[in-house]
């Protein structure tokens, strides 16, 4: 079992920045792909970014160049640095993990955090 706990969400003005943190309990954290998804009201949960067990990173087109995912195996943590935030980035952001390579579909992930709210005001 892997437990994931997100933190760092909040209210920010458009153009601002936030850093999300996901702390994981996995014993073999380095073998997991860690990802961030988000879900806005009335919308499906969508892929944001992932840090694959192979060391590669992937981003949704909508956040490419603005968001950066990073992983610290020593701290069992993954981060999402979000800059140039837009109102359309408003959503609940979820941390997710899977044992294996990166995938884009939420159904491919086995473990989820409780989510953290990010609200971007215009």
């Amino acid at each position: 079992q892997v437990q994931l706990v997100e933190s760092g969400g909040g209210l920010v003005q458009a153009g601002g920045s936030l850093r999300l943190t996901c702390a994981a309990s996995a014993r073999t954290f380095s073998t997991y792909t860690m990802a961030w998804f988000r879900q806005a009201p009335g919308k499906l949960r969508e892929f944001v970014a992932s840090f694959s067990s192979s060391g590669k990173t992937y981003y949704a087109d909508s956040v490419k160049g603005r968001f950066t995912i990073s992983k610290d195996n020593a701290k069992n943590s993954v981060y999402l640095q979000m800059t140039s935030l837009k109102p359309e980035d408003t959503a609940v952001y979820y941390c997710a993990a899977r044992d294996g390579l990166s995938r884009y579909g939420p159904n491919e992930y086995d473990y989820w955090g409780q989510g953290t709210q990010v609200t971007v005001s215009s």
Side-chain angles (χ1 to χ4, degrees):
Q1 283 290 338
V2 177
Q3 292 184 327
L4 304 173
V5 179
E6 303 101 331
S7 61
L11 174 64
V12 64
Q13 288 189 330
S17 300
L18 278 175
R19 187 193 195 210
L20 305 183
T21 298
C22 174
S25 66
R27 290 185 182 179
T28 56
F29 182 71
S30 62
T31 67
Y32 283 82
T33 284
M34 302 300 296
W36 289 95
F37 288 78
R38 66 186 181 186
Q39 189 166 17
K43 294 189 176 181
L44 296 174
R45 192 167 297 188
E46 64 175 4
F47 173 84
V48 175
S50 66
F51 198 112
S52 176
S53 55
S54 67
K56 293 183 178 180
T57 58
Y58 302 87
Y59 296 93
D61 287 343
S62 58
V63 307
K64 205 170 290 184
R66 300 189 298 122
F67 291 10
T68 302
I69 188 170
S70 59
K71 190 181 180 203
D72 187 336
N73 289 331
K75 295 184 177 181
N76 273 24
S77 293
V78 63
Y79 309 97
L80 186 68
Q81 180 67 49
M82 305 184 293
T83 63
S84 302
L85 282 161
K86 305 174 181 179
E88 50 265 44
D89 294 318
T90 296
V92 177
Y93 283 70
Y94 296 91
C95 178
R98 70 183 309 273
D99 190 1
L101 296 177
S102 182
R103 296 289 186 269
Y104 294 108
N107 291 338
E108 303 278 1
Y109 288 77
D110 303 308
Y111 305 102
W112 292 86
Q114 81 288 351
T116 185
Q117 177 71 46
V118 172
T119 303
V120 184
S121 62
S122 57

